[in-house]
Amino acid sequence: MSTPEFTFQSLAGLVGQRIGSSSWITIDQARIDEFAHCTNDAQWIHVDAERAARESPFGGTVAHGFLTLSLLAPTAFDVLISHMQLKQAVNYGLDKIRFIAPVRAGKRVRNHISVVSIEDKGNGRHLLTTENTVEIEGEDKPALVAHSMAMLMA
């Protein structure tokens, strides 16, 4: 089965539908530690495995919510952007972000993407809004749900 090629027109016909799911991404402690270093957010619940095992209600360290949110860009590339003929895709904004369940260190996540809307902005630009539901492998609740906007340029 070949990978679908999306166009602005085909995306307009997919409003309200899931267009795909990304590959799984492992959120290991090394990734969490790197994110903590990059963002200066070294709160113990993220980086101190021994303390988190003793004191956290989650039984260990958990990923930063913003680490999970930052995965929207690469997962959108995986599912959608790499399957379009574009000159450029630029993050435009986020709406309706809800952090629903923590991602414990060592868990895998993937993003299920649905088209909310696509607007022709002229000059070969289209504003795409997607709903992103980041699933945690083996868990009932998603890590987060967020609407993401990208300006796509042909």
Side-chain angles (χ1 to χ4, degrees), residues 1 4-5 7 11 13-14 20 54-56 59-60 73 101 104 113 135 154:
M1 187 168 149
E5 291 295 321
T7 65
L11 288 173
L14 295 171
R54 284 191 320 269
E55 299 178 32
S56 165
R104 288 175 284 131
I113 301 175
E135 171 191 9

Side-chain angles (χ1 to χ4, degrees), residues 32-33 35-44 46-47 64-66:
I32 294 169
D33 291 344
F35 191 85
H37 175 77
C38 290
T39 60
N40 291 321
D41 182 357
Q43 186 180 152
W44 66 267
H46 304 304
V47 299
H64 304 72
F66 287 126

Side-chain angles (χ1 to χ4, degrees), residues 4 14 40 45-46 55 59-60 71 78 81 84 97 112 128 132:
L14 295 171
N40 291 321
I45 200 161
H46 304 304
E55 299 178 32
L71 298 175
D78 181 26
I81 303 303
M84 294 188 76
I97 302 165
H112 303 287
L128 174 67
N132 300 264

Side-chain angles (χ1 to χ4, degrees), residues 9 16 26 29 35-36 40 48 50 55 59 62 73 75 81 93 104 108 112 120 123 126 138 141 146 151 153-154:
Q9 295 76 21
T26 301
Q29 190 61 51
F35 191 85
N40 291 321
D48 188 336
E50 290 179 16
E55 299 178 32
V62 295
T75 57
I81 303 303
R104 288 175 284 131
R108 295 190 325 160
H112 303 287
D120 187 341
N123 297 321
H126 289 77
K141 293 182 180 178
M151 186 65 71
M153 294 166 254

